[in-house]
Amino acid sequence: MRSAALPYSTCAYCQSLLLRDGLELQDIGKVAVLPPDVSPIQLGTSLRVEGLTLTVVGRVRWGWDNGSWNEWLLDAGDGSERWLGEAMGAFMLTAARADLRELPMIQGFATGGEIAVGARLTVEGITLVAIDRKEARCLGSEGELPFPTLPGRSMTNIDFRGPNREAVSLQRDARGASVWLGYYSDLASLAPANLRTIEGWSIPRELTR
Amino acid sequence: MNAVRNIACPNCGGALEVRAAGFSVNLACAYCGSLLDVSRPEVVLIEAHDKAAKGFRLAPGARGTLFDVEWETVGALRRRDLGYSWEEYLLFNPYAGYRWLVLSDREWQFGTMLLDLPEGNDDTVSWRGERFTRDGDASTSETTAVLGEFYWRVRAGDTVEAMLYERGDTVLSREGGGGEVNWTQLVPVEDDVIAQAFGLGRLKAHRAVREPSPSSGSSSSTANDLPTMFGLACAAIVALLLAMVLISGPVERASASIDAPFAATREGVRIGTLTVRRPWQFVTVTARGTDFDNRWVDLDYSLVDRATGQSMDGYGIVEHYSGRDSDGSWTEGSRKGTTLLGRVPRGTYDLYVDASAHGWPSDPSPQISGWSSLPETVTVSIEAETGSLPWGNWWTAAVLLFAFPCIAVWRQYREENGR
């Protein structure tokens, strides 16, 4: 239990999802067993970006019609909520930007409106294009999490991409809408440490620090 | 933890490995070629096939170190656009993600998908401060064969719009349409390097040297396919001829001549008897006239089966015209006419001919002919033959077989000289 701010935790042994309520722990159900994958990230992996050390404390795996992806919850020690999205061998590092919910397009999305692929969104002078829209459902989780990850949880995710790796992600679920701002990156640029050891593979030199 | 997920092909039962578990969504079975959905814990058959794609230079599972990183080949695609065909290999390293190897015209390119997108218009784009200019026109390419696993829903028949931009020997490829556009940077890699990295034999030296390269894109492979194309066409046409000779069967002939009257039809002249000794044979009927001019003779053939009385009919013509106009003298038509009767079943046949002659521009009158007592006729000799070869079919096949390589040569010539 590293972070008292995160109310949900997945038991690594019995897949129970535990809700922390003061000093009480409440078992609120079982999460799905995570399907096997060859992600280089694991709970405890740390990243060093912009002078911050970000430690992976939780993971949610989302599935959609044509695949699945990982979202790794990062603890920066400053109470901010950051995620490392991992799909197709590439990464997207984002932080919550509640203030962007004021943008008209996002306000519309938050109240159930649609955003088509190809739509343009301007944030801080940078124009981003919506490159995909997915209806996703939770496939499983591990570690500590800010929301319950029971089977059946679903969300709408729209990814925007800017000309120079800029990324904006909009998510909408039963709780409402959230806005995530960040950038696409390869793993090496995130200066990772404590990567997962994968049988049959050696960690490239550029990824060790 | 084991990096490989073991599954069984639901179509053929073959034992398969998912090498990029969690990323791969489609897998084409190495044994039967069936397309499988491996995105979920349960493997689902998307499309059953009974033959795996073959002939790829790198097999799924092949590993090699390029640019200091070890890569495992996880997927292989064959793609083509109008006239060109090339191979694309998906490389994977769990720590470094995905890369591409493109093998086109015996040249390799290493591809990295871009996260920072080039900006510009259809003719030039800039990327990381450098200008790239368009190479060739936009083209649509189609995936024709799939082997191994992919992180998207690949299948044979997929098409994608592509445009290439180049600067020096670096190529930026823009693929996609609609909302999602993917940019890939392609840099050349020597075949020696690939061969050494993946433990392969070297590709044969170029027979046709292409310097400077007329279209050094990821999707050009022209010169060195041509000898193969012509060779295959030649082999096919010779094989077809041999097959025709083999199945044509024994030859039997019958011949006679017929005097065709004007303004009337001479009917039912028997030419002779033919026996078809194979289940099916071709019969050709050749008509020859001599020395007539500005005349034509219509010939109706009936090949009558003695056993059943059923008749197979054909039509022939011999014609010859001449004259003189502002361009000088001219002749037209042929005094010889060949008619092919196909699929004549085994049996004994009598060939009968009806013939009528015609004059051009009008039938000759007895006065002009000079023999008022004898009606003028045109004599046509008829020869029928079993076991003949359908030369028309053969020539059609030849034209069709050589048309494609010839178009390719023409396109290449135009590319080399036209730009």
Side-chain angles (χ1 to χ4, degrees):
Chain A
M1 301 294 166
R2 260 165 298 213
S3 169
L6 295 169
Y8 296 93
S9 184
T10 308
C11 171
Y13 305 100
C14 69
Q15 305 297 320
S16 291
L17 186 66
L18 306 172
L19 171 61
R20 192 184 300 106
D21 186 11
L23 292 173
E24 305 258 306
L25 278 179
Q26 192 186 339
D27 184 344
I28 60 165
K30 300 268 186 198
V31 301
V33 179
L34 278 169
D37 67 5
V38 287
S39 172
I41 310 293
Q42 62 183 355
L43 297 184
T45 295
S46 68
L47 311 174
R48 201 179 287 162
V49 284
E50 297 158 22
L52 292 171
T53 299
L54 307 170
T55 306
V56 174
V57 296
R59 151 157 76 157
V60 186
R61 191 160 178 88
W62 297 98
W64 61 298
D65 288 347
N66 293 319
S68 54
W69 77 95
N70 285 321
E71 292 198 352
W72 299 95
L73 181 64
L74 302 168
D75 178 16
D78 61 357
S80 63
E81 191 177 342
R82 292 166 200 264
W83 292 87
L84 179 69
E86 180 192 20
M88 307 188 303
F91 296 88
M92 183 169 82
L93 185 64
T94 59
R97 281 289 299 265
D99 57 307
L100 295 179
R101 278 187 292 197
E102 306 301 319
L103 290 170
M105 179 190 274
I106 296 172
Q107 269 184 354
F109 175 73
T111 54
E114 279 308 315
I115 294 178
V117 167
R120 281 160 194 277
L121 173 70
T122 302
V123 177
E124 294 170 1
I126 291 163
T127 300
L128 301 103
V129 179
I131 55 167
D132 73 31
R133 178 191 185 286
K134 296 181 178 98
E135 292 294 339
R137 65 206 173 284
C138 181
L139 297 183
S141 66
E142 61 179 327
E144 296 177 51
L145 298 159
F147 53 83
T149 51
L150 296 175
R153 184 185 183 88
S154 65
M155 66 147 176
T156 303
N157 184 94
I158 298 179
D159 285 334
F160 289 79
R161 185 159 82 171
N164 193 27
R165 303 146 156 298
E166 300 91 344
V168 166
S169 211
L170 307 183
Q171 296 187 341
R172 182 176 66 200
D173 61 15
R175 294 181 306 168
S178 53
V179 186
W180 306 87
L181 185 79
Y183 54 90
Y184 290 92
S185 177
D186 54 20
L187 190 53
S189 307
L190 302 175
N194 192 22
L195 288 171
R196 181 176 149 205
T197 310
I198 300 167
E199 191 183 304
W201 292 96
S202 54
I203 298 176
R205 246 173 303 150
E206 55 170 9
L207 294 182
T208 52
R209 70 161 198 243
Chain B
M1 182 172 182
N2 197 336
V4 170
R5 176 183 166 206
N6 294 296
I7 62 163
C9 173
N11 187 51
C12 72
L16 298 169
E17 292 180 332
V18 181
R19 301 168 206 283
F23 297 112
S24 292
V25 298
N26 272 25
L27 186 149
C29 174
Y31 307 106
C32 68
S34 293
L35 203 56
L36 315 179
D37 181 346
V38 294
S39 68
R40 282 169 250 276
E42 68 286 357
V43 175
V44 178
L45 181 66
I46 299 172
E47 217 174 71
H49 291 282
D50 56 9
K51 216 170 107 196
K54 286 197 168 57
F56 286 108
R57 181 133 170 88
L58 289 178
R63 283 197 186 194
T65 299
L66 290 172
F67 304 106
D68 292 331
V69 178
E70 184 178 24
W71 299 102
E72 184 164 53
T73 310
V74 294
L77 295 173
R78 199 169 287 122
R79 294 171 69 185
R80 66 152 187 242
D81 64 10
L82 207 64
Y84 308 136
S85 162
W86 67 96
E87 288 157 28
E88 295 185 359
Y89 298 93
L90 185 59
L91 306 180
F92 178 70
N93 174 307
Y95 299 100
Y98 288 100
R99 296 294 186 278
W100 290 98
L101 268 181
V102 178
L103 174 58
S104 170
D105 196 14
R106 296 174 195 193
E107 286 175 6
W108 294 92
Q109 288 170 304
F110 183 79
T112 307
M113 201 191 277
L114 300 182
L115 298 172
D116 47 336
L117 306 183
E119 286 181 301
N121 54 39
D122 278 351
D123 290 324
T124 57
V125 295
S126 66
W127 179 65
R128 296 188 186 173
E130 294 189 317
R131 248 167 77 96
F132 288 74
T133 52
R134 180 161 62 87
D135 173 35
D137 293 322
S139 66
T140 304
S141 68
E142 186 189 0
T143 302
T144 56
V146 181
L147 184 66
E149 58 190 86
F150 300 88
Y151 57 79
W152 72 99
R153 291 259 182 245
V154 67
R155 74 200 303 168
D158 285 347
T159 59
V160 65
E161 285 282 332
M163 190 100 98
L164 301 173
Y165 297 84
E166 64 180 357
R167 180 190 177 91
D169 52 13
T170 299
V171 173
L172 301 182
S173 141
R174 187 181 81 185
E175 286 193 340
E180 181 141 23
V181 172
N182 285 315
W183 285 90
T184 306
Q185 176 208 22
L186 295 158
V187 296
V189 184
E190 289 295 319
D191 181 52
D192 285 355
V193 174
I194 302 287
Q196 201 174 2
F198 288 89
L200 305 172
R202 287 165 60 178
L203 285 171
K204 279 180 204 131
H206 283 219
R207 251 185 285 172
V209 178
R210 284 201 310 135
E211 284 303 332
S213 165
S215 63
S216 63
S218 72
S219 59
S220 59
S221 69
T222 46
N224 300 306
D225 287 344
L226 286 172
T228 320
M229 285 161 90
F230 277 105
L232 280 174
C234 281
I237 206 69
V238 169
L240 182 59
L241 182 60
L242 285 174
M244 278 166 49
V245 169
L246 270 173
I247 63 171
S248 62
V251 176
E252 229 180 76
R253 285 195 185 85
S255 60
S257 62
I258 180 170
D259 295 325
F262 286 92
T265 301
R266 178 155 296 160
E267 293 186 343
V269 176
R270 187 171 160 273
I271 302 299
T273 306
L274 290 170
T275 306
V276 171
R277 300 182 195 281
R278 290 281 180 90
W280 306 97
Q281 277 190 304
F282 286 99
V283 172
T284 46
V285 184
T286 307
R288 283 187 190 84
T290 48
D291 291 342
F292 67 87
D293 196 22
N294 291 326
R295 305 274 186 272
W296 82 90
V297 180
D298 287 321
L299 299 156
D300 288 301
Y301 304 120
S302 299
L303 200 57
V304 180
D305 188 334
R306 281 194 175 173
T308 64
Q310 287 212 320
S311 146
M312 298 190 64
D313 298 328
Y315 170 76
I317 191 169
V318 290
E319 55 193 334
H320 196 267
Y321 317 96
S322 66
R324 176 171 278 278
D325 61 17
S326 55
D327 295 332
S329 58
W330 54 267
T331 63
E332 221 179 280
S334 167
R335 293 191 183 99
K336 182 183 167 196
T338 304
T339 303
L340 185 71
L341 300 170
R343 278 179 77 82
V344 180
R346 193 196 299 276
T348 302
Y349 295 87
D350 288 314
L351 177 66
Y352 294 93
V353 181
D354 301 344
S356 61
H358 306 271
W360 179 84
S362 59
D363 285 351
S365 66
Q367 287 80 7
I368 294 167
S369 74
W371 282 289
S372 52
S373 57
L374 281 174
E376 199 198 347
T377 59
V378 177
T379 304
V380 181
S381 65
I382 308 285
E383 184 179 87
E385 184 181 280
T386 64
S388 48
L389 301 178
W391 287 108
N393 297 6
W394 188 80
W395 281 110
T396 306
V399 167
L400 291 176
L401 278 167
F402 283 96
F404 193 70
C406 288
I407 289 168
V409 168
W410 176 72
R411 278 178 57 114
Q412 194 187 342
Y413 173 84
R414 231 179 36 146
E415 277 203 346
E416 278 167 6
N417 294 281
R419 287 217 264 225

